[in-house]
Amino acid sequence: MISSMTAYARSEKTENQVTVAVEIRTYNSKYLDISLRTPHGYESLEARIKEQIAQNLSRGRVEIQLRIKDEADDAFAFEVDRPKASAYYQALSDLKTLVGSQEEIRLELIAGSAGIIRPVEKEKDLERHGPVIQTCLIEALEALQK
């Protein structure tokens, strides 16, 4: 049976506070040409995903978008730029003395300064996310074939 190479499919799954969405678009093409966009930190999955696509499709331009949203408590981390915070506090103290203010320097003023508190890049938990990504990809490929 001849099937069209122009198609669209999407799958979304949530497990263990991780939401994965896979979108696949295919276009007519003589050869198999796979374009994959993954979130930062998930690049190591690209070879496996492309291999799975190649097992299911023999030709066509295939564009895949993988989105991952991890809402686990340990998915986020922040750190304080101590030298910058200390220098900023010292500058505020100098200003306070210069203008003769008796007002205390509030933590919100220091913490709200750009770059004092910054996010830390956490390594992605591929062991936890891998099965959800795999299931979502399989569902999207099945929907694409339909």
Side-chain angles (χ1 to χ4, degrees):
M1 179 170 96
I2 297 174
S3 60
S4 173
M5 285 185 285
T6 303
Y8 170 83
R10 183 177 195 284
S11 177
E12 186 170 318
K13 284 255 177 247
T14 301
E15 288 181 22
N16 302 322
Q17 298 179 303
V18 176
T19 301
V20 174
V22 174
E23 286 185 22
I24 304 175
R25 295 178 194 278
T26 60
Y27 306 95
N28 192 18
S29 179
K30 205 177 221 183
Y31 306 101
L32 183 60
D33 177 20
I34 301 172
S35 171
L36 174 61
R37 290 189 311 213
T38 60
H40 179 69
Y42 293 91
E43 294 84 6
S44 63
L45 297 176
E46 286 186 19
R48 278 192 273 165
I49 292 171
K50 286 182 177 183
E51 182 180 315
Q52 178 114 27
I53 297 297
Q55 290 173 0
N56 286 272
L57 302 171
S58 58
R59 55 185 226 146
R61 166 89 175 147
V62 183
E63 295 177 355
I64 304 142
Q65 168 109 26
L66 175 65
R67 290 191 195 97
I68 301 170
K69 185 176 181 183
D70 189 348
E71 295 182 333
D73 292 340
D74 63 348
F76 306 99
F78 295 88
E79 68 182 6
V80 175
D81 184 334
R82 293 174 185 267
K84 191 173 189 176
S86 181
Y88 192 71
Y89 179 79
Q90 186 58 52
L92 290 173
S93 296
D94 292 347
L95 180 61
K96 180 179 161 181
T97 302
L98 180 69
V99 297
S101 173
Q102 297 302 314
E103 199 173 312
E104 77 176 65
I105 299 170
R106 296 182 25 210
L107 181 61
E108 299 88 39
L109 186 61
I110 299 166
S113 176
I116 299 291
I117 298 175
R118 59 183 177 229
V120 175
E121 183 71 31
K122 293 200 64 164
E123 192 163 322
K124 306 303 180 195
D125 188 351
L126 299 180
E127 291 296 319
R128 190 165 63 100
H129 301 168
V132 183
I133 294 168
Q134 181 71 18
T135 302
C136 206
L137 179 61
I138 289 168
E139 284 183 6
L141 284 167
E142 288 171 354
L144 190 75
Q145 296 293 343
K146 290 179 185 175

